[in-house]
Amino acid sequence: MTELTDLTAVQLVDGYRKGEFSPVDATRAALDRAAEVQPVVNAFVRVDSEEAVAQAEASAARWHSGEPQGLLDGVPVTVKDILLQRGGPTLRGSKSVRPEGPWEEDAPSVARLREHGAVFIGKTTTPEFGWKGVTDSPQSGITRNPYDPSRTAGGSSGGSAAAVALGAAPVSLGTDGGGSVRIPGAFCGIFALKPTYGRVPLYPASAFGTLAHVGPMTRDAADAALVMDVISGPDGRDWSQLGPVADSFRAGIDGGVRGLRIAYSPTLGGQVAVRPAVAAAVRRAVESLAAQGAYVEETDPDFTDPVEAFHTLWFSGAARVIQHLALGQRELLDPGLREICAQGARASALDYLAAVDVRMELGRRMGRFHQTYDLLVTPTLPITAFEAGVEVPKGSGHRRWTGWTPFTYPFNMTQQPAATVPCGVDRDGLPIGVQIVAARHADALVLRAAHALYTAGSARIAPPTAA
């Protein structure tokens, strides 16, 4: 018998419509699973059991009367503790944030979920201010991998990824400034989409500027398309949001990949050392796309690693995040965060503008690239999950998290849509992700190609056993 916690959002809504089970059943199952997995993986900073059940009961009444409130009515969801959610504190992984409030406002994406009747299970963990690619913080401790709790869940949306993977809710909202939905999505074996910048409104504005995106983290691409239809609506609080969507993201998701021109870049032109197990799994996913009728060419986008420019932009943003803190409050910060803030504070305006120039040139090159290729496919990460509680794998020689995630942050700089899809496991049973990237505004094409992998069975891996 299929557990309610194993169902996708699409399946839950279908079950509510048919009267097979109710939002209260699904919510209580999600809450039970959250309580079960929290001691193992530490995915939550807060679980709102009483409020969630009350929301589910209201949803059940709407379904009983035949008047559901929206596309996600009664679906359990979680929210990364970077995004505002009214009624409780958003601590952002930091002891420097005062919890007293008042907390009276939803972020735009959270507001859209609420308008569509979603049931809020709780807030998920994040590194302090979302600054790195793993999830541990002074405020909430270490978040662990659902497939092996001795390993990291990735970050910065690690709590969201772990919660989805373990069935504590089929949907979570994450944020991605350099890979922060795709990194934990790959490490935890789920789907995660970084939409085109501005497609999902963001408020308050991120100190990391136009690197920061909001995206869905889900069981599969079909669920992500459903969530995108909800959270992509315009919101006047974000001056850079793209406005109304022309069509539903679900409308063409079954269109397949036949005839699409796909560039497969296994190492970004030899710039990245990829573990053999990862390379083999990603190649199998690419072969699946070719078998479904895509024209695949092994080729590389024409750019060199923009990590130094990314560091200037990212570290300067981090310095801005903590600028208002008194010296005593700064003593409470993650030591690694203090280091990058000090480096960012030393960057001049000319340094920042030079990094912007690198970014603009990278965007130009990728714009030209996508005149020839509809999609770019790469590994999401060159490695699988490593030891929990550290920023970089021991013995890797890397100083910062960007050293082991070179496939993700370039596409924050270019603002392109990019998703991770599970495509296998290594010999330790740890998930591997394949990344699908498209030109700006071609989010629906990314979802369509990802869905084709799910439909072909190429994106299904065994569920985690950490619980």
Side-chain angles (χ1 to χ4, degrees):
M1 178 178 176
T2 302
E3 299 279 348
L4 288 175
T5 51
D6 295 333
L7 299 181
T8 66
V10 170
Q11 290 169 331
L12 286 176
V13 170
D14 187 54
Y16 301 157
R17 185 177 296 109
K18 294 175 179 176
E20 295 174 347
F21 41 79
S22 79
V24 176
D25 299 327
T27 296
R28 290 192 184 278
L31 289 168
D32 288 346
R33 183 59 61 85
E36 180 185 4
V37 305
Q38 178 63 7
V40 181
V41 298
N42 186 33
F44 291 92
V45 295
R46 186 178 75 249
V47 175
D48 302 315
S49 300
E50 290 186 12
E51 178 63 21
V53 171
Q55 292 173 8
E57 289 172 342
S59 173
R62 292 191 293 267
W63 279 105
H64 183 72
S65 65
E67 297 178 345
Q69 183 170 308
L71 296 176
L72 291 170
D73 202 348
V75 174
V77 302
T78 64
V79 176
K80 182 182 181 181
D81 200 37
I82 290 287
L83 298 168
L84 293 178
Q85 182 182 328
R86 74 171 190 244
T90 297
L91 300 176
R92 303 199 290 171
S94 182
K95 291 181 177 180
S96 70
V97 177
R98 296 175 61 86
E100 293 84 359
W103 302 96
E104 298 175 341
E105 195 169 20
D106 284 330
S109 52
V110 177
R112 302 294 88 78
L113 290 183
R114 196 183 299 278
E115 291 165 5
H116 280 258
V119 173
F120 293 94
I121 299 297
K123 298 299 286 291
T124 57
T125 52
T126 176
E128 197 161 22
F129 302 115
W131 79 272
K132 60 184 175 180
V134 294
T135 301
D136 58 73
S137 75
Q139 192 264 334
S140 57
I142 298 171
T143 298
R144 299 178 179 276
N145 193 288
Y147 283 82
D148 180 349
S150 72
R151 311 292 184 108
T152 181
S156 62
S157 306
S160 289
V164 171
L166 288 166
V171 170
S172 191
L173 292 180
T175 62
D176 189 316
S180 288
V181 300
R182 289 162 290 154
I183 295 167
F187 277 176
C188 294
I190 67 165
F191 180 82
L193 171 69
K194 178 189 76 67
T196 298
Y197 177 80
R199 184 67 281 155
V200 179
L202 177 62
Y203 170 86
S206 172
F208 297 108
T210 57
L211 294 172
H213 304 58
V214 177
M217 305 179 73
T218 57
R219 291 282 180 74
D220 60 22
D223 267 16
L226 174 63
V227 176
M228 285 294 290
D229 279 347
V230 171
I231 65 175
S232 293
D235 191 295
R237 293 173 291 175
D238 181 355
W239 65 271
S240 61
Q241 54 91 16
L242 295 178
V245 181
D247 199 358
S248 166
F249 288 100
R250 293 169 291 157
I253 198 168
D254 292 315
V257 296
R258 182 170 298 279
L260 293 182
R261 301 162 300 168
I262 296 178
Y264 166 45
S265 179
T267 62
L268 292 181
Q271 296 181 79
V272 185
V274 178
R275 286 187 185 171
V278 173
V282 171
R283 184 173 290 275
R284 286 193 296 270
V286 171
E287 290 170 351
S288 174
L289 294 171
Q292 295 178 65
Y295 299 110
V296 176
E297 180 182 346
E298 187 167 328
T299 189
D300 303 299
D302 178 26
F303 66 80
T304 55
D305 187 356
V307 67
E308 293 305 323
F310 179 80
H311 281 170
T312 298
L313 300 170
W314 191 253
F315 297 173
S316 299
R320 177 61 176 163
V321 167
I322 71 161
Q323 190 175 28
H324 69 287
L325 298 180
L327 183 60
Q329 290 176 299
R330 296 189 185 201
E331 295 291 330
L332 301 174
L333 298 174
D334 181 332
L337 176 59
R338 289 203 303 268
E339 287 181 16
I340 71 159
C341 288
Q343 186 172 338
R346 292 193 294 269
S348 69
L350 289 177
D351 293 332
Y352 193 92
L353 290 173
V356 171
D357 286 344
V358 172
R359 185 180 189 182
M360 300 290 278
E361 174 60 15
L362 182 62
R364 184 193 70 81
R365 287 173 182 265
M366 288 309 302
R368 291 286 299 272
F369 185 81
H370 284 291
Q371 290 177 344
T372 302
Y373 300 102
D374 299 302
L375 297 170
L376 169 66
V377 174
T378 74
T380 306
L381 298 163
I383 60 175
T384 52
F386 52 89
E387 178 185 355
V390 295
E391 183 184 346
V392 301
K394 289 184 178 179
S396 67
H398 300 309
R399 174 64 180 153
R400 297 265 76 104
W401 62 271
T402 44
W404 52 265
T405 181
F407 291 108
T408 58
Y409 56 78
F411 306 110
N412 291 80
M413 296 178 75
T414 61
Q415 303 186 341
Q416 294 172 246
T420 185
V421 184
C423 63
V425 296
D426 67 9
R427 65 181 182 180
D428 294 321
L430 296 168
I432 295 166
V434 57
Q435 180 175 233
I436 302 173
V437 184
R440 292 175 72 246
H441 311 294
D443 305 65
L445 192 60
V446 172
L447 289 165
R448 183 173 130 199
H451 185 62
L453 288 176
Y454 279 98
T455 301
S458 303
R460 305 291 180 184
I461 62 175
T465 58

